[in-house]
């Protein structure tokens, strides 16, 4: 797999309630999907390294109707945060849809995967319950880690292939 080219992550607001993230990832679809659906791999790339957050625990039952729970610790603030939700739809090598139930203002997230030769187009859509909820997420910086997250995913793929 050729990882010499660096792809950009595009993050844009679409309409009042949706944030859309896209990146053409240097890696074949089966490996990219595996990195999203295997807990020990997911833990290695999901949290942007620059955020100073450590994953304390992660459980994932990735199937339609399954659930997840992610517990993290922020070193600078000393806070522990827990994120959890359910998988509304899981279509292998195609799409994962999950809720973010830890907050009434959490989005429903859809991650879609499309093979492009030895690369994979990853599209993540966060649909927030209101315009104010999306405004708040953007203002808090919680939507600002996508470029780093997806770059970390891309860095993991060659080791998975080898």
């Amino acid at each position: 797999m050729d990882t010499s080219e660096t792809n950009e992550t595009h993050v844009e607001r679409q309409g009042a309630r949706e944030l859309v993230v896209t990146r053409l990832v240097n890696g074949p679809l089966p490996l990219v999907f595996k990195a999203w659906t295997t807990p020990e791999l997911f833990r290695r790339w999901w949290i942007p390294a620059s955020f100073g957050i450590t994953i304390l625990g992660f459980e994932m039952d990735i199937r339609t109707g399954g659930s997840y729970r992610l517990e993290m610790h922020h070193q600078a603030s000393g806070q522990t945060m827990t994120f959890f939700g359910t998988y509304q739809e899981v279509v292998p090598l195609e799409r994962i849809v999950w809720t973010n139930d830890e907050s009434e203002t959490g989005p429903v997230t859809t991650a879609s995967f499309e093979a492009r030769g030895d690369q994979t187009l990853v599209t993540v859509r966060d649909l927030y319950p209101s315009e104010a909820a999306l405004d708040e997420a953007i203002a808090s910086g919680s939507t600002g880690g996508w470029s780093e997250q997806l770059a970390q995913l891309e860095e993991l793929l060659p080791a998975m292939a080898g």
Side-chain angles (χ1 to χ4, degrees):
M1 128 178 49
D2 178 18
T3 58
S4 60
E5 182 180 331
T6 300
N7 296 311
E8 288 185 35
T9 301
H10 300 277
V11 180
E12 70 176 288
R13 184 179 196 143
Q14 289 189 352
R17 300 175 34 219
E18 189 170 41
L19 188 72
V20 179
V21 179
T22 57
R23 183 181 176 116
L24 187 61
V25 173
N26 290 318
L29 174 58
L31 285 183
V32 172
F33 196 80
K34 183 178 181 178
W36 280 76
T37 58
T38 305
E40 51 275 4
L41 297 172
F42 188 87
R43 290 173 71 121
R44 292 173 59 188
W45 69 269
W46 183 250
I47 305 297
S50 69
F51 280 25
I53 294 175
T54 304
I55 296 177
L56 300 175
F58 181 52
E59 299 166 8
M60 165 189 272
D61 178 14
I62 190 153
R63 61 179 172 79
T64 300
S67 63
Y68 71 91
R69 181 179 171 82
L70 179 63
E71 187 175 359
M72 303 177 293
H73 179 75
H74 191 277
Q75 283 119 353
S77 71
Q79 290 184 318
T80 298
M81 304 161 284
T82 304
F83 297 90
F84 56 91
T86 57
Y87 294 105
Q88 295 183 327
E89 181 182 16
V90 178
V91 180
L93 303 177
E94 211 175 293
R95 180 176 46 261
I96 306 168
V97 181
W98 67 90
T99 63
N100 296 274
D101 296 340
E102 67 280 347
S103 164
E104 291 181 12
T105 61
V108 173
T109 304
T110 301
S112 302
F113 310 89
E114 183 182 324
R116 299 273 175 97
D118 286 340
Q119 297 177 311
T120 304
L121 178 62
V122 175
T123 303
V124 179
R125 296 179 170 278
D126 280 334
L127 182 61
Y128 285 80
S130 67
E131 182 174 1
L134 176 53
D135 290 344
E136 183 180 316
I138 291 169
S140 75
S142 67
T143 62
W146 281 110
S147 291
E148 188 175 356
Q149 278 176 282
L150 293 175
Q152 289 172 176
L153 166 64
E154 201 166 47
E155 291 168 10
L156 174 64
L157 297 173
M160 291 174 59

